[in-house]
Amino acid sequence: MAAGQKIGVLIVDDIAETRENIRKLLQFEADIEVVGTAKTGKEAVTLAREKRPHVVIMDINMPDMDGITATELISKDVPSAQIVILSVQSDADYLRRAMMAGARDFLTKPPSGDELISTIRRAYEISRLRTAAAPMQIAVGPGGQTFAPLEGKIITVYSAKGGVGCTTIASNLAVALHTEETRVALVDCNLQFGDLAVFLNLKPQHSVIELFENAETLDGEFAASVATDHSAGFKVFLGPPTPEQADIVNAAQVKKALEFLKTRYAYVIVDTPSALTEIVLSAFDVSDKIVLVATPDIPAIKDARIFFDVIDALNFPADRVMFVLNRVDKRGGITAQNIQESIKHEVTAQLPLEERVLFSINSGVPLLIGNRSLPFSMAMLDMANKLKAGLAPAPEKEPAVVEEKGKKPAPRRLFGG
Ligand SMILES: Nc1ncnc2c1ncn2[C@@H]1O[C@H](COP(=O)(O)OP(=O)(O)OP(=O)(O)O)[C@@H](O)[C@H]1O
Ligand SMILES: [Mg+2]
């Protein structure tokens, strides 16, 4: 915070006692100043325009204009103001509407002093990062050095059938691909039941929803502020703590945010749920590679075949799909050869059944960390190398003059052109 600058807070509640209690909780904080109090939504909008507070503490049920409408108006008129909803309504529907109207955070009545103060400071910190950061063209490194935006690659890990190992593969892939020179961002696009925080034993402070919500105005500093650092060096954009937050964002925002991340990270690895939702399709659309995971059993293979039919119907180039078998065990009786023949797509990598994978998940440490000589780890590293090689820029060729006869039409964008 700039020397002498305080966090300006506007308190909005129709009950005088609540306003007074909040003011009292804040009065001894040297870095916080209450710049106004309002007892209706309308009054809040007028005061916010006038006082330009950093943070607004907003009640929901008020006479003349409710807190959700006031939030919507203030977010539009005073975008730098971060709105924290304060309500007895623990109803998810209210909170979702408030978040969609532009609220940054919420507190349940009556908040404890600590909760209130830390929420205000966090909201302020985000507003400061967002306003301080200039539009990103040239990025500034940790040592103050500048570097041009990257042309990173987006790798989406998907399976048509759930529980076959996408999150295991995505998290180990992050370990395999991350280096000082090729930085990795791991993004949880499983917005309802994201597992990356558990797989990596990370404590979520922020979620990927904040990244997606701000897709239109992202800059490197803000993106980094909502990511969680993994001790292996890569950044993780964790799924939200509650499933209903998935409804706050749309596919276009996800697409835009992923496209932004690839200007910042050499590899953006996206973990997905096993459903062809609009959000998953938009991730496919911007992916340089889809890692399609299946296990060598009949139901998983049936689903993988359907997946190839779908992408074929959408004219998504099949060579952008890397087909990987996980939990390969020769006792199962189905070989990669059988599967290749049945699906008519090459199996690029095979990861063996490894019982220590389960232990690694339960301890929150990807197996590749500290266990590089296991057959599973060696297969993972081999797969990472094949991915890298497949994503490296192709040597320049003479442009083809004549179009081949019977060639497929150019790939159509999967989602939203
Ligand atoms: N190579 C492997 N060997 C043995 N077990 C494995 C292997 N890969 C994954 N597993 C196990 O499979 C289970 C599912 O893995 P994971 O959560 O990574 O799958 P997923 O496709 O992300 O599932 P979901 O659909 O729930 O997101 C885990 O219990 C994990 O231990
Ligand atoms: Mg998963």
Side-chain angles (χ1 to χ4, degrees):
M1 194 183 317
Q5 193 188 358
K6 291 189 176 194
I7 308 175
V9 175
L10 172 64
I11 302 169
V12 188
D13 199 298
D14 56 335
I15 300 180
E17 196 191 337
T18 311
R19 295 195 299 273
E20 191 49 26
N21 286 344
I22 294 175
R23 213 185 49 75
K24 277 193 190 139
L25 287 173
L26 300 176
Q27 69 186 346
F28 297 117
E29 298 310 306
D31 58 338
I32 296 176
E33 183 185 6
V34 175
V35 294
T37 58
K39 52 184 178 303
T40 70
K42 273 194 186 149
E43 224 176 273
V45 176
T46 312
L47 268 179
R49 286 183 188 139
E50 204 177 292
K51 307 272 185 186
R52 311 197 76 78
H54 297 106
V55 179
V56 181
I57 305 292
M58 176 79 79
D59 185 27
I60 287 190
N61 291 316
M62 288 177 294
D64 87 2
M65 182 192 284
D66 68 17
I68 293 176
T69 314
T71 297
E72 215 165 69
L73 292 174
I74 295 174
S75 317
K76 223 181 293 147
D77 291 358
V78 193
S80 58
Q82 305 292 305
I83 298 157
V84 176
I85 295 288
L86 180 66
S87 176
V88 278
Q89 311 280 358
S90 49
D91 183 5
D93 185 49
Y94 266 104
L95 293 180
R96 197 181 64 223
R97 283 172 48 210
M99 296 310 249
M100 284 170 81
R104 159 69 53 197
D105 212 336
F106 50 85
L107 286 164
T108 336
K109 268 185 189 174
S112 73
D114 284 352
E115 230 179 354
L116 178 69
I117 291 157
S118 66
T119 304
I120 289 174
R121 290 201 180 116
R122 192 172 58 218
Y124 171 77
E125 201 49 35
I126 292 171
S127 79
R128 193 185 61 85
L129 285 173
R130 298 199 59 202
T131 43
M136 202 279 303
Q137 279 309 325
I138 297 295
V140 181
Q145 74 277 26
T146 56
F147 52 89
L150 287 173
E151 270 196 62
K153 303 291 180 191
I154 300 177
I155 301 164
T156 296
V157 185
Y158 176 79
S159 88
K161 187 177 184 306
V164 300
C166 288
T167 308
T168 304
I169 291 174
S171 49
N172 279 285
L173 207 49
V175 177
L177 290 176
H178 178 84
T179 67
E180 277 285 303
E181 292 74 39
T182 58
R183 298 187 315 134
V184 166
L186 182 56
V187 184
D188 207 336
C189 269
N190 192 341
L191 298 183
Q192 292 198 310
F193 300 102
D195 288 329
L196 282 173
V198 178
F199 272 60
L200 299 169
N201 191 21
L202 294 173
K203 243 185 150 168
Q205 303 280 346
H206 294 278
S207 95
V208 72
I209 297 292
E210 291 169 67
L211 181 84
F212 294 154
E213 271 185 307
N214 292 291
E216 290 293 332
T217 53
L218 283 178
D219 57 67
E221 215 176 330
F222 177 75
S225 78
V226 296
T228 305
D229 291 321
H230 190 272
S231 55
F234 55 86
K235 298 271 184 196
V236 193
F237 294 90
L238 294 167
T242 51
E244 74 271 9
Q245 289 190 35
D247 297 343
I248 301 172
V249 294
N250 61 44
Q253 290 172 313
V254 172
K255 185 170 164 175
K256 190 131 202 181
L258 293 176
E259 278 176 325
F260 170 79
L261 287 183
K262 75 177 212 175
T263 67
R264 285 292 172 152
Y265 298 91
Y267 298 106
V268 179
I269 302 172
V270 183
D271 187 23
T272 57
S274 296
L276 287 172
T277 61
E278 289 189 346
I279 284 179
V280 170
L281 287 179
S282 70
F284 286 174
D285 201 10
V286 292
S287 290
D288 298 280
K289 203 61 104 178
I290 298 172
V291 172
L292 179 72
V293 185
T295 43
D297 53 68
I298 299 298
I301 294 163
K302 179 206 68 156
D303 291 344
R305 181 186 296 128
I306 295 172
F307 170 84
F308 278 110
D309 287 346
V310 169
I311 61 152
D312 189 47
L314 291 165
N315 286 327
F316 186 82
D319 62 1
R320 252 193 260 162
V321 181
M322 181 185 198
F323 187 30
V324 175
L325 288 183
N326 187 29
R327 290 207 298 236
V328 174
D329 178 10
K330 53 179 184 300
R331 289 169 299 182
I334 300 179
T335 66
Q337 187 66 32
N338 301 146
I339 295 167
Q340 274 178 178
E341 280 163 15
S342 148
I343 293 197
K344 312 259 180 299
H345 194 96
E346 184 200 358
V347 172
T348 318
Q350 299 186 52
L351 303 166
L353 180 80
E354 167 58 66
E355 61 186 26
R356 269 167 284 197
V357 167
L358 182 58
F359 179 74
S360 78
I361 295 171
N362 289 342
S363 54
V365 183
L367 194 57
L368 209 48
I369 296 180
N371 283 298
R372 292 216 165 204
S373 55
L374 286 174
F376 173 87
S377 308
M378 289 197 290
M380 247 343 284
L381 291 170
D382 180 51
M383 176 188 153
N385 283 334
K386 283 182 178 147
L387 252 177
K388 266 198 274 189
L391 289 169
E396 286 204 8
K397 278 194 216 136
E398 289 288 313
V401 185
V402 190
E403 229 180 59
E404 283 170 53
K405 235 185 162 181
K407 209 176 132 192
K408 281 202 160 191
R412 179 162 76 77
R413 303 299 280 172
L414 277 181
F415 186 80

